[in-house]
Amino acid sequence: APLAPQLLGQLVPMTRMRSIIAQRMLESKQTSPHAYTVYKVDMTRIVRLREREKAAYEKRNGVKLTYMPFIAAAAIEALSKFPIVNASLENGAIRYHQNVNLGIAVSLEWGLIVPVIKQAEDRSFLGLARAIADLAERARSKRLKPEEASGSTFTLTNSGVFGGEYGPPIINQPESAILAIGGLRKEPVVLPDAEGNDTIA
């Protein structure tokens, strides 16, 4: 939101929520060494599928077809194959979680909150889409229950919505990792065919 002109030059105290967020982020950096790996993912098929199906999907199911359920479903599948990423440190030991409790970071005008889809691995694609939309809407309208914003085992954060290509995230403790989703943009790529010839797409 734009800054009110009368606030320029003024010392404005942080809200309690922003103060807690700042404290938690500092604690996370002090608790876990943050190492980042960046991958570019070809979303061409997903973009085409979404463009083709989004109107009918929303009409049929009553929920918008965004990119987040696709990414959430892929993350859940990856976490089932690599359970060390769906783990947390507890008293010097590693706890491997039985379920994927997927946190979805939601940016609010007054701060940041992470609603959690409990046992996300048991949900269908539509179930994920509905849960993501429902939790985000209730987070923005301050209607989340306390237990719906705690207990995550892995978190997705979408810095791409702000236009950036990539933003280094801060781990949501006591989780072992976090996935930051960058901006979606078109760019040329070299594709080899079966004969080893390269083409630019």
Side-chain angles (χ1 to χ4, degrees), residues 33-109:
H34 283 52
Y36 300 102
T37 303
V38 180
Y39 293 94
K40 287 187 176 181
V41 177
D42 185 357
M43 293 284 286
T44 304
R45 290 188 301 165
I46 301 301
V47 170
R48 288 174 179 166
L49 173 64
R50 179 177 175 269
E51 288 302 311
R52 186 177 68 245
E53 300 292 337
K54 65 180 181 180
Y57 186 90
E58 183 175 357
K59 183 177 181 180
R60 184 170 64 249
N61 299 305
V63 62
K64 290 183 178 179
L65 183 60
T66 67
Y67 293 114
M68 188 58 82
F70 292 99
I71 296 167
I76 292 165
E77 182 176 346
L79 291 169
S80 70
K81 294 178 179 177
F82 302 96
I84 189 64
V85 188
N86 190 47
S88 57
L89 276 176
E90 293 183 20
N91 301 317
I94 300 173
R95 180 180 295 279
Y96 294 91
H97 297 289
Q98 185 174 359
N99 301 112
V100 177
N101 294 337
L102 193 64
I104 310 283
V106 177
S107 178
L108 308 171
E109 187 176 334

Side-chain angles (χ1 to χ4, degrees), residues 118-144:
K118 303 289 175 67
Q119 298 183 357
E121 75 278 6
D122 292 336
R123 294 181 184 260
S124 64
F125 181 89
L126 176 58
L128 283 173
R130 284 178 170 158
I132 291 166
D134 171 61
L135 289 171
E137 191 278 325
R138 288 193 291 117
R140 294 186 178 101
S141 59
K142 299 182 180 180
R143 292 187 293 114
L144 278 182

Side-chain angles (χ1 to χ4, degrees), residues 2-14:
L3 185 67
Q6 64 267 27
L7 295 179
L8 293 174
Q10 301 296 314
L11 184 64
V12 181
M14 286 198 300

Side-chain angles (χ1 to χ4, degrees), residues 9 11 16 22 29 67 82 97-98 106 112 117 127 135 150 177-178 185 193:
L11 184 64
R16 174 168 170 74
K29 295 288 272 189
Y67 293 114
F82 302 96
H97 297 289
Q98 185 174 359
V106 177
L112 181 76
I117 303 172
L135 289 171
S150 64
I178 185 170
R185 54 181 41 83
D193 61 21

